[in-house]
Amino acid sequence: MGRSSRLRRLVDASPIRPLVAAVLRKVWNMSECIFCKIAAGRLPARILYQDDLVTAFHDLHPAAPVHILVIPNRHIASVNDLDPGDEALVGRMFTAARRLAQEMGLHENGYRLIVNTGPHGGQTVLHLHLHLIGGQPMKYPMG
Ligand code: 5GP
Ligand code: ZN
């Protein structure tokens, strides 16, 4: 058996192989993720707010007169991928949404905050995002 096949068999049998695959998958997802690109300024968006943790911008296909997305700057695929260490970040997403709702004049009549998760939740972009929707009365559920 040649040296490279021996090395290949060693790598295939290695217990760290799934970990390496997971890291490579995450790096690949981040490089392709449209919301990562928006947060990094590499894809145009109508950005309303950005700080060290979150970015907020207008949804491309608004479902109501006001439809804003609040995202973490760092790639987190969904609520399923949150850790206890992300609690400050999740709090910032909500306080940013609250401030934007006030700036948009939504706070008196109210608004809706939605986080779709996974296929049954209707999540289409696999980067965590909080929808801030308002400017009209809404029925529940929306669709
Ligand atoms: P989801 O269905 O995953 O909860 O929501 C994804 C949202 O992202 C949708 O409301 C969709 O209109 C919005 N969206 C998808 N691609 C883009 C984009 O390139 N730019 C902006 N601004 N919004 C997008
Ligand atoms: Zn991302």
Side-chain angles (χ1 to χ4, degrees), residues 28-124:
W28 171 255
N29 287 343
M30 283 166 60
S31 69
E32 290 302 299
C33 173
I34 51 171
F35 285 1
C36 277
K37 287 181 183 169
I38 287 174
R42 289 191 288 118
L43 193 71
R46 292 164 62 211
I47 291 180
L48 291 157
Y49 176 76
Q50 186 164 50
D51 62 26
D52 57 323
L53 292 178
V54 303
T55 301
F57 52 92
H58 288 284
D59 195 290
L60 199 56
H61 306 290
V66 177
H67 189 167
I68 294 166
L69 301 171
V70 183
I71 67 167
N73 295 336
R74 176 166 60 84
H75 184 81
I76 297 174
S78 81
V79 170
N80 285 341
D81 301 280
L82 285 171
D83 295 323
D86 296 320
E87 284 169 11
L89 166 67
V90 173
R92 184 74 64 84
M93 289 172 72
F94 273 82
T95 52
R98 190 207 70 86
R99 200 170 48 248
L100 285 162
Q102 187 145 23
E103 283 170 17
M104 294 286 168
L106 303 178
H107 59 295
E108 266 182 32
N109 285 329
Y111 47 89
R112 184 167 288 175
L113 296 174
I114 301 174
V115 182
N116 296 325
T117 305
H120 284 193
Q123 184 179 9
T124 58

